[in-house]
Amino acid sequence: MPATGTATSTEKGRRIVGSERQSLAKDLVKRYTSGESIRALAASTGRSYGFVHRVLTESGVQLRQRGGARRRKKA
């Protein structure tokens, strides 16, 4: 079954190595640093959250903290 969507979509479960992995990593880093979440990247590429997280950390990206804005106590 051919992959659909963006150029970074890949067949599910297929190993990604070598220059293809480097190319995918470069794209993921660019998109993550521009504000996309790991979950959004995983969904758009057809890969797991863990795979995307691993590729980003291997690329040396400083990952953002979890969660949104914190509630402040009323004074």
Coordinates of all heavy atoms in Angstrom, one line a residue:
M1 N 0.8 -1.2 0.0 CA 0.0 0.0 0.0 C 0.9 1.2 0.0 O 1.7 1.4 0.9 CB -0.9 0.0 1.2 CG -1.7 1.2 1.4 SD -3.1 0.9 2.6 CE -2.3 1.4 4.1
P2 N 0.7 2.1 -1.0 CA 1.6 3.3 -1.0 C 1.2 4.3 0.1 O 0.1 4.4 0.5 CB 1.3 3.9 -2.4 CG 0.0 3.3 -2.8 CD -0.1 2.0 -2.1
A3 N 2.2 5.0 0.5 CA 2.0 6.0 1.6 C 1.4 7.2 0.9 O 1.6 7.6 -0.2 CB 3.4 6.4 2.2
T4 N 0.5 7.9 1.7 CA -0.1 9.1 1.3 C 0.2 10.2 2.2 O 0.7 10.0 3.3 CB -1.7 8.9 1.2 OG1 -2.1 8.6 2.6 CG2 -2.1 7.9 0.3
G5 N -0.1 11.5 1.8 CA 0.2 12.6 2.6 C 1.4 13.3 2.2 O 1.7 13.5 1.1
T6 N 2.2 13.7 3.2 CA 3.4 14.5 3.0 C 4.5 13.6 2.4 O 4.4 12.4 2.5 CB 3.9 15.1 4.3 OG1 4.3 14.1 5.2 CG2 2.9 16.0 4.9
A7 N 5.6 14.2 2.0 CA 6.7 13.5 1.4 C 7.4 12.7 2.5 O 8.2 11.8 2.2 CB 7.7 14.5 0.7
T8 N 7.2 13.0 3.8 CA 7.9 12.3 4.9 C 7.1 11.1 5.3 O 7.6 10.4 6.2 CB 8.1 13.2 6.1 OG1 6.8 13.7 6.5 CG2 9.0 14.4 5.7
S9 N 5.9 10.8 4.7 CA 5.2 9.6 5.1 C 6.0 8.4 4.7 O 6.6 8.4 3.6 CB 3.8 9.6 4.4 OG 3.0 10.6 5.0
T10 N 5.9 7.4 5.5 CA 6.6 6.1 5.2 C 5.7 5.0 5.5 O 4.7 5.1 6.2 CB 7.9 6.0 6.1 OG1 7.4 6.1 7.5 CG2 8.9 7.1 5.8
E11 N 6.1 3.8 4.9 CA 5.3 2.6 5.1 C 5.4 2.2 6.6 O 6.5 2.3 7.2 CB 5.8 1.5 4.3 CG 5.6 1.7 2.8 CD 6.3 0.6 2.0 OE1 6.3 -0.5 2.4 OE2 6.8 1.0 0.9
K12 N 4.3 1.8 7.2 CA 4.3 1.5 8.6 C 5.1 0.3 8.9 O 5.0 -0.7 8.2 CB 2.8 1.2 9.0 CG 2.7 1.0 10.5 CD 1.3 1.0 11.0 CE 1.3 0.8 12.5 NZ 0.1 1.3 13.0
G13 N 6.0 0.4 9.9 CA 6.8 -0.8 10.3 C 8.1 -1.0 9.5 O 8.9 -1.8 9.9
R14 N 8.3 -0.2 8.5 CA 9.5 -0.4 7.7 C 10.7 0.4 8.4 O 10.5 1.5 8.8 CB 9.3 0.2 6.3 CG 10.5 -0.1 5.3 CD 10.1 0.3 3.9 NE 10.0 1.7 3.8 CZ 11.0 2.6 3.6 NH1 12.2 2.2 3.6 NH2 10.8 3.9 3.5
R15 N 11.8 -0.3 8.4 CA 13.0 0.4 9.0 C 13.5 1.6 8.2 O 13.5 1.5 7.0 CB 14.1 -0.6 9.2 CG 14.0 -1.6 10.3 CD 15.2 -2.4 10.4 NE 15.1 -3.2 11.6 CZ 15.8 -3.0 12.7 NH1 16.6 -2.1 12.8 NH2 15.6 -3.8 13.8
I16 N 13.8 2.6 8.9 CA 14.3 3.8 8.2 C 15.8 4.0 8.6 O 16.0 4.3 9.8 CB 13.5 5.0 8.5 CG1 12.1 4.8 8.1 CG2 14.0 6.3 7.8 CD1 11.1 5.9 8.3
V17 N 16.7 3.9 7.7 CA 18.1 4.0 8.1 C 18.9 4.8 7.0 O 18.3 5.1 6.0 CB 18.8 2.6 8.1 CG1 18.2 1.8 9.3 CG2 18.6 1.8 6.8
G18 N 20.1 5.1 7.3 CA 21.0 5.8 6.4 C 20.5 7.2 6.0 O 20.0 8.0 6.9
S19 N 20.7 7.6 4.8 CA 20.4 8.9 4.3 C 18.9 9.2 4.4 O 18.5 10.4 4.7 CB 20.9 9.1 2.9 OG 20.2 8.2 2.0
E20 N 18.1 8.2 4.3 CA 16.6 8.4 4.4 C 16.3 8.9 5.9 O 15.5 9.8 6.1 CB 15.8 7.2 4.1 CG 14.3 7.4 4.1 CD 13.6 6.1 3.7 OE1 14.2 5.0 3.7 OE2 12.3 6.2 3.6
R21 N 16.9 8.2 6.8 CA 16.7 8.6 8.3 C 17.2 10.0 8.5 O 16.6 10.8 9.3 CB 17.3 7.6 9.2 CG 17.0 7.8 10.7 CD 17.6 6.7 11.5 NE 17.4 6.8 12.9 CZ 16.5 6.1 13.6 NH1 15.8 5.2 12.9 NH2 16.3 6.3 14.9
Q22 N 18.4 10.3 8.0 CA 18.9 11.7 8.2 C 18.0 12.7 7.6 O 17.8 13.8 8.2 CB 20.3 11.8 7.6 CG 21.4 11.0 8.3 CD 22.7 10.9 7.6 OE1 22.8 11.3 6.4 NE2 23.7 10.5 8.3
S23 N 17.5 12.4 6.4 CA 16.6 13.4 5.8 C 15.3 13.6 6.6 O 14.8 14.7 6.8 CB 16.2 12.9 4.4 OG 15.3 13.7 3.7
L24 N 14.7 12.4 7.1 CA 13.5 12.5 7.9 C 13.8 13.3 9.2 O 13.0 14.1 9.6 CB 13.0 11.1 8.2 CG 11.8 11.0 9.1 CD1 10.6 11.7 8.5 CD2 11.5 9.6 9.4
A25 N 15.0 13.0 9.8 CA 15.4 13.7 11.0 C 15.5 15.2 10.8 O 15.0 15.9 11.7 CB 16.7 13.1 11.6
K26 N 16.0 15.6 9.7 CA 16.2 17.0 9.5 C 14.8 17.7 9.3 O 14.6 18.8 9.9 CB 17.0 17.2 8.2 CG 17.4 18.6 7.9 CD 18.2 18.8 6.6 CE 19.4 17.9 6.5 NZ 20.2 18.1 5.3
D27 N 13.9 17.0 8.7 CA 12.5 17.5 8.5 C 11.8 17.6 9.8 O 11.2 18.6 10.2 CB 11.8 16.7 7.5 CG 10.4 17.2 7.3 OD1 10.2 18.4 7.0 OD2 9.4 16.4 7.4
L28 N 11.9 16.5 10.6 CA 11.3 16.5 11.9 C 11.8 17.6 12.9 O 11.0 18.2 13.6 CB 11.4 15.1 12.6 CG 10.7 13.9 11.9 CD1 11.0 12.6 12.6 CD2 9.2 14.2 11.9
V29 N 13.1 17.7 12.9 CA 13.7 18.8 13.7 C 13.2 20.2 13.3 O 12.8 21.0 14.2 CB 15.3 18.7 13.6 CG1 15.9 20.0 14.3 CG2 15.8 17.5 14.3
K30 N 13.2 20.4 12.0 CA 12.7 21.7 11.6 C 11.2 22.0 12.0 O 10.9 23.0 12.5 CB 12.8 21.8 10.0 CG 12.4 23.2 9.5 CD 12.7 23.2 8.0 CE 11.6 22.4 7.2 NZ 11.7 22.6 5.8
R31 N 10.4 21.0 11.8 CA 9.0 21.1 12.2 C 8.8 21.2 13.7 O 8.0 22.0 14.2 CB 8.2 19.9 11.6 CG 8.1 20.0 10.1 CD 7.6 18.8 9.4 NE 6.2 18.5 9.9 CZ 5.6 17.3 9.6 NH1 6.2 16.4 8.9 NH2 4.4 17.1 10.1
Y32 N 9.5 20.4 14.5 CA 9.4 20.4 15.9 C 9.9 21.8 16.5 O 9.2 22.4 17.3 CB 10.2 19.3 16.6 CG 10.1 19.2 18.1 CD1 9.0 18.7 18.7 CD2 11.1 19.8 18.9 CE1 8.8 18.7 20.0 CE2 11.0 19.7 20.3 CZ 9.8 19.2 20.8 OH 9.7 19.1 22.2
T33 N 11.0 22.3 16.0 CA 11.5 23.6 16.5 C 10.6 24.7 16.1 O 10.6 25.8 16.7 CB 12.9 23.9 16.0 OG1 13.0 23.8 14.6 CG2 13.9 22.9 16.7
S34 N 9.8 24.5 15.0 CA 8.8 25.6 14.6 C 7.5 25.5 15.4 O 6.6 26.3 15.2 CB 8.5 25.5 13.1 OG 7.8 24.4 12.8
G35 N 7.4 24.5 16.3 CA 6.2 24.5 17.2 C 5.3 23.2 17.1 O 4.4 23.1 17.9
E36 N 5.5 22.3 16.1 CA 4.7 21.1 16.1 C 5.0 20.2 17.2 O 6.1 20.1 17.7 CB 4.9 20.4 14.8 CG 4.1 21.0 13.6 CD 4.1 20.1 12.4 OE1 3.5 19.0 12.5 OE2 4.7 20.5 11.4
S37 N 4.0 19.5 17.7 CA 4.2 18.5 18.8 C 4.7 17.2 18.2 O 4.6 16.9 17.1 CB 2.9 18.3 19.5 OG 2.0 17.6 18.7
I38 N 5.3 16.4 19.1 CA 5.8 15.1 18.8 C 4.6 14.2 18.3 O 4.7 13.5 17.3 CB 6.5 14.4 19.9 CG1 7.8 15.2 20.3 CG2 6.8 13.0 19.6 CD1 8.5 14.6 21.5
R39 N 3.4 14.3 19.0 CA 2.3 13.6 18.5 C 1.8 14.0 17.1 O 1.4 13.1 16.4 CB 1.1 13.7 19.6 CG 1.5 13.1 20.9 CD 0.3 12.8 21.7 NE 0.6 12.4 23.0 CZ 1.0 11.1 23.3 NH1 1.1 10.2 22.4 NH2 1.4 10.8 24.6
A40 N 1.8 15.2 16.8 CA 1.4 15.7 15.5 C 2.4 15.2 14.4 O 2.0 14.8 13.4 CB 1.3 17.2 15.5
L41 N 3.7 15.2 14.8 CA 4.7 14.7 13.8 C 4.5 13.2 13.6 O 4.6 12.7 12.5 CB 6.1 15.0 14.4 CG 6.5 16.5 14.4 CD1 7.8 16.6 15.2 CD2 6.5 17.1 13.1
A42 N 4.3 12.5 14.7 CA 4.1 11.0 14.6 C 2.9 10.7 13.7 O 2.9 9.9 12.8 CB 3.9 10.4 15.9
A43 N 1.8 11.5 13.9 CA 0.5 11.2 13.1 C 0.8 11.5 11.6 O 0.3 10.8 10.8 CB -0.6 12.1 13.7
S44 N 1.5 12.6 11.3 CA 1.6 13.0 9.9 C 2.6 12.2 9.2 O 2.6 12.1 8.0 CB 2.1 14.5 9.9 OG 3.4 14.6 10.3
T45 N 3.6 11.5 9.9 CA 4.5 10.7 9.2 C 4.2 9.2 9.3 O 4.8 8.4 8.6 CB 5.9 10.8 9.9 OG1 5.9 10.5 11.3 CG2 6.5 12.2 9.7
G46 N 3.2 8.8 10.1 CA 2.8 7.4 10.2 C 3.7 6.6 11.0 O 3.7 5.4 11.0
R47 N 4.5 7.3 11.9 CA 5.4 6.6 12.8 C 4.9 6.7 14.2 O 4.0 7.5 14.5 CB 6.8 7.2 12.6 CG 7.4 7.2 11.2 CD 7.4 5.9 10.6 NE 8.3 4.9 11.2 CZ 8.7 3.8 10.8 NH1 8.3 3.4 9.6 NH2 9.5 3.0 11.4
S48 N 5.5 6.0 15.1 CA 5.1 6.1 16.5 C 5.7 7.3 17.2 O 6.7 7.9 16.8 CB 5.5 4.8 17.2 OG 6.9 4.8 17.4
Y49 N 5.0 7.6 18.3 CA 5.5 8.7 19.2 C 7.0 8.4 19.6 O 7.8 9.3 19.5 CB 4.6 8.8 20.4 CG 5.1 9.9 21.4 CD1 4.6 11.1 21.4 CD2 6.1 9.5 22.4 CE1 5.0 12.1 22.3 CE2 6.5 10.5 23.3 CZ 5.9 11.7 23.3 OH 6.4 12.7 24.2
G50 N 7.2 7.1 20.0 CA 8.6 6.8 20.4 C 9.6 6.9 19.4 O 10.7 7.3 19.6
F51 N 9.3 6.6 18.1 CA 10.2 6.7 17.0 C 10.6 8.2 16.8 O 11.7 8.5 16.7 CB 9.6 6.1 15.7 CG 10.5 6.4 14.5 CD1 11.5 5.5 14.2 CD2 10.3 7.4 13.7 CE1 12.3 5.7 13.1 CE2 11.0 7.7 12.6 CZ 12.1 6.8 12.3
V52 N 9.6 9.0 16.8 CA 9.8 10.5 16.6 C 10.6 11.0 17.7 O 11.6 11.8 17.5 CB 8.5 11.2 16.4 CG1 8.7 12.7 16.3 CG2 7.7 10.8 15.1
H53 N 10.3 10.7 18.9 CA 11.0 11.1 20.1 C 12.5 10.7 20.0 O 13.4 11.5 20.3 CB 10.3 10.5 21.4 CG 10.9 11.0 22.7 ND1 12.0 10.5 23.2 CD2 10.5 12.0 23.5 CE1 12.3 11.1 24.3 NE2 11.4 12.0 24.6
R54 N 12.7 9.5 19.7 CA 14.1 9.0 19.6 C 14.9 9.7 18.5 O 16.0 10.1 18.7 CB 14.0 7.5 19.2 CG 15.4 6.8 19.3 CD 15.3 5.3 19.1 NE 14.1 4.7 19.7 CZ 13.1 4.1 18.9 NH1 13.2 4.1 17.6 NH2 12.1 3.6 19.5
V55 N 14.2 9.9 17.3 CA 14.9 10.6 16.2 C 15.3 12.0 16.7 O 16.4 12.5 16.4 CB 14.1 10.6 14.9 CG1 14.6 11.6 13.9 CG2 14.0 9.2 14.4
L56 N 14.4 12.7 17.4 CA 14.7 14.1 17.8 C 15.8 14.1 18.8 O 16.7 15.0 18.7 CB 13.4 14.7 18.4 CG 12.3 15.0 17.4 CD1 11.0 15.5 18.2 CD2 12.7 16.1 16.4
T57 N 15.8 13.2 19.8 CA 16.8 13.2 20.8 C 18.2 12.8 20.2 O 19.2 13.3 20.5 CB 16.5 12.2 22.0 OG1 16.2 10.9 21.5 CG2 15.3 12.8 22.8
E58 N 18.2 11.9 19.2 CA 19.4 11.5 18.5 C 20.0 12.7 17.7 O 21.2 12.8 17.6 CB 19.2 10.4 17.5 CG 19.0 9.0 18.1 CD 18.6 8.0 17.1 OE1 18.4 8.3 15.9 OE2 18.4 6.8 17.5
S59 N 19.1 13.6 17.3 CA 19.5 14.8 16.6 C 20.0 15.9 17.5 O 20.4 17.0 17.0 CB 18.4 15.3 15.7 OG 18.0 14.3 14.8
G60 N 19.9 15.7 18.8 CA 20.3 16.7 19.7 C 19.4 17.8 20.0 O 19.8 18.9 20.5
V61 N 18.1 17.6 19.7 CA 17.1 18.7 20.0 C 16.8 18.8 21.4 O 16.6 17.7 22.1 CB 15.8 18.3 19.2 CG1 14.7 19.3 19.5 CG2 16.1 18.4 17.7
Q62 N 16.7 20.0 21.9 CA 16.2 20.2 23.3 C 14.7 20.1 23.3 O 14.0 20.9 22.7 CB 16.7 21.6 23.8 CG 16.2 22.0 25.2 CD 17.0 21.2 26.2 OE1 18.2 21.0 26.1 NE2 16.3 20.9 27.3
L63 N 14.2 19.0 23.9 CA 12.7 18.8 23.9 C 12.0 19.8 24.9 O 12.6 20.1 25.9 CB 12.4 17.4 24.3 CG 13.0 16.3 23.3 CD1 12.6 14.9 23.8 CD2 12.5 16.5 21.9
R64 N 10.8 20.2 24.5 CA 10.0 21.1 25.3 C 9.5 20.3 26.5 O 9.3 19.1 26.4 CB 8.9 21.7 24.5 CG 9.3 22.6 23.4 CD 8.2 23.3 22.7 NE 7.3 22.4 22.0 CZ 7.4 22.1 20.7 NH1 8.4 22.6 20.0 NH2 6.5 21.3 20.1
Q65 N 9.1 21.0 27.6 CA 8.5 20.4 28.7 C 7.0 20.0 28.4 O 6.4 20.6 27.5 CB 8.4 21.3 29.9 CG 9.8 21.6 30.5 CD 9.7 22.4 31.8 OE1 8.7 22.9 32.1 NE2 10.9 22.5 32.5
R66 N 6.5 19.0 29.1 CA 5.2 18.6 28.9 C 4.2 19.6 29.4 O 4.4 20.4 30.3 CB 4.9 17.3 29.6 CG 5.8 16.1 29.0 CD 5.6 14.9 29.8 NE 4.2 14.6 30.1 CZ 3.8 13.5 30.7 NH1 4.6 12.6 31.0 NH2 2.5 13.3 30.9
G67 N 3.0 19.6 28.8 CA 1.8 20.3 29.4 C 1.8 21.7 28.8 O 2.7 22.2 28.1
G68 N 0.7 22.4 29.2 CA 0.5 23.8 28.7 C 0.8 24.7 29.9 O 1.5 24.4 30.8
A69 N 0.1 25.9 29.8 CA 0.3 26.9 30.8 C -0.2 26.4 32.2 O -1.2 25.7 32.2 CB -0.4 28.2 30.4
R70 N 0.5 26.8 33.2 CA 0.1 26.4 34.5 C -0.9 27.4 35.1 O -0.8 28.6 34.8 CB 1.4 26.3 35.4 CG 2.5 25.4 34.9 CD 2.3 24.1 35.5 NE 3.4 23.2 35.2 CZ 3.2 22.0 34.7 NH1 2.0 21.5 34.5 NH2 4.3 21.3 34.4
R71 N -1.7 26.9 36.0 CA -2.7 27.8 36.6 C -1.9 28.5 37.7 O -1.1 27.9 38.4 CB -3.8 27.0 37.3 CG -4.8 26.5 36.2 CD -5.9 25.8 36.9 NE -6.8 25.1 36.0 CZ -7.9 24.5 36.3 NH1 -8.3 24.4 37.5 NH2 -8.6 23.9 35.4
R72 N -2.3 29.7 37.9 CA -1.6 30.5 39.0 C -2.6 30.6 40.1 O -3.8 30.7 39.9 CB -1.2 31.9 38.5 CG -0.1 31.8 37.4 CD 0.1 33.1 36.7 NE 0.5 34.1 37.6 CZ 1.2 35.2 37.3 NH1 1.6 35.3 36.0 NH2 1.5 36.1 38.1
K73 N -2.1 30.6 41.4 CA -2.9 30.8 42.5 C -3.4 32.2 42.6 O -2.7 33.2 42.3 CB -2.1 30.5 43.8 CG -1.7 29.1 43.9 CD -1.0 28.8 45.3 CE -0.6 27.4 45.4 NZ 0.1 27.1 46.7
K74 N -4.7 32.3 43.0 CA -5.3 33.7 43.1 C -4.7 34.3 44.4 O -4.7 33.7 45.5 CB -6.8 33.6 43.2 CG -7.4 33.1 41.8 CD -8.9 33.1 41.9 CE -9.4 32.6 40.6 NZ -10.8 32.5 40.5
A75 N -4.4 35.6 44.3 CA -3.8 36.3 45.4 C -4.8 36.9 46.3 O -5.9 37.1 46.0 CB -2.9 37.4 45.0

